[in-house]
Amino acid sequence: MSETVVKIKNLKKVFGAEEVLHSIDLEVDKGEVVCVLGPSGSGKSTMLRCINLLETPTSGEIWVNDTQINAKGTDINKAREQLGMVFQQFNLFPHKTAQGNVELALRKVRKMSKEEASIIAREQLGRVGLAERADFYPSQLSGGQQQRVAIARALAMEPAVMLFDEVTSALDPELVRDVLNVMRDLAQAGMTMIVVTHEMGFARDVADRVIFMDGGSVIEEGSPEDIFENPKNERTRDFLGHLKES
């Protein structure tokens, strides 16, 4: 029997006079990889940012495990500990080494000793293939390596779900593969993941379910085979058709 990790009910987000998310409903089960596709401005990143409460939902409910994280009185910082988020930009501290960047939240949020945090940081950097770069500063790392440090930093907090927001879009093409390989490994290891991406090959190969968004709404969802081989909605067909032509 599946166990729901993330549940979104009737999520709406309004900026000024514009409703950018319209009544989003979504459930993600433990160990499931959900890839979210759609054109720029479709609400994909806003939805992720609402899940992590970096944007405050205008209405609706967001549940992670058994906690409604956007309920009044919820400890947001505590709720966020269940959510690992990796952004387009790496957001690493330039004055700290790769290891120092991974250790920081463990020491500040989890109140771990330097020794405990160091062990976990080394372990997670090894997990993303950067054990040999633990003592390097961000300026000494490629963009792909910096993004893998950001993934290690999120993983170190042992989140219930990982949120990825176009994490390869700022990378040179030759650096994309290593980051995607780390994400593939996480998926194979059973990590629950919601991935906003334009990497269609990754979505086709790794996703358990694909969601297509446009205009702030979920237009269509299904298995990768359903979406890529037999999309039912005309807007989905049009979007995928343009990708094939480009």
Side-chain angles (χ1 to χ4, degrees):
M1 195 171 168
S2 60
E3 177 186 336
T4 300
V5 176
V6 176
K7 182 183 290 186
I8 300 171
K9 296 181 180 179
N10 200 27
L11 173 64
K12 296 182 182 180
K13 177 62 182 177
V14 176
F15 288 114
E18 184 182 5
E19 186 171 288
V20 296
L21 291 178
H22 313 293
S23 303
I24 302 290
D25 292 309
L26 175 65
E27 291 190 10
V28 181
D29 290 337
K30 186 173 183 179
E32 188 177 20
V33 177
V34 175
C35 284
V36 185
L37 314 180
S40 297
S42 59
K44 309 182 302 293
S45 293
T46 300
M47 181 181 73
L48 273 198
R49 291 174 68 84
C50 283
I51 294 172
N52 202 34
L53 300 180
L54 292 171
E55 298 287 356
T56 304
T58 303
S59 61
E61 299 176 8
I62 299 172
W63 294 77
V64 179
N65 289 321
D66 297 323
T67 301
Q68 185 186 343
I69 63 173
N70 67 320
K72 190 173 180 180
T74 298
D75 183 337
I76 292 176
N77 290 326
K78 191 72 178 171
R80 280 200 188 117
E81 289 183 27
Q82 301 186 75
L83 299 158
M85 187 151 183
V86 186
F87 302 87
Q88 294 179 31
Q89 301 301 325
F90 323 126
N91 301 318
L92 300 179
F93 290 102
H95 62 289
K96 290 189 174 291
T97 62
Q99 177 162 333
N101 270 279
V102 178
E103 285 179 4
L104 189 62
L106 293 169
R107 299 193 67 194
K108 296 288 187 184
V109 178
R110 291 282 173 85
K111 308 299 183 187
M112 286 185 180
S113 68
K114 170 72 173 170
E115 291 73 24
E116 288 177 300
S118 176
I119 291 168
I120 292 173
R122 292 268 174 180
E123 180 183 311
Q124 295 303 337
L125 286 168
R127 190 174 180 184
V128 300
L130 290 175
E132 310 260 320
R133 297 287 188 271
D135 297 322
F136 284 48
Y137 289 88
S139 63
Q140 299 171 303
L141 300 172
S142 71
Q145 289 170 335
Q146 290 184 63
Q147 191 59 290
R148 284 187 278 155
V149 173
I151 293 172
R153 177 179 57 189
L155 289 171
M157 300 297 286
E158 298 184 326
V161 58
M162 287 284 286
L163 310 174
F164 294 91
D165 187 11
E166 296 283 14
V167 296
T168 58
S169 64
L171 300 179
D172 293 333
E174 64 267 25
L175 301 177
V176 168
R177 183 184 63 186
D178 289 341
V179 174
L180 292 180
N181 283 341
V182 167
M183 294 168 66
R184 288 175 197 272
D185 289 345
L186 292 178
Q188 289 171 359
M191 173 63 71
T192 308
M193 298 161 59
I194 305 175
V195 184
V196 170
T197 186
H198 282 112
E199 300 289 345
M200 297 299 136
F202 176 86
R204 186 189 290 267
D205 295 343
V206 179
D208 297 298
R209 186 156 41 111
V210 174
I211 289 173
F212 177 72
M213 290 183 67
D214 190 34
S217 297
V218 174
I219 302 298
E220 187 167 358
E221 65 177 290
S223 68
E225 186 178 15
D226 290 338
I227 299 300
F228 288 108
E229 304 299 334
N230 189 31
K232 295 180 173 57
N233 187 280
E234 184 178 351
R235 183 66 187 95
T236 314
R237 290 196 295 271
D238 182 57
F239 175 78
L240 294 173
H242 277 96
L243 289 178
K244 289 174 184 175
E245 291 168 9
S246 60

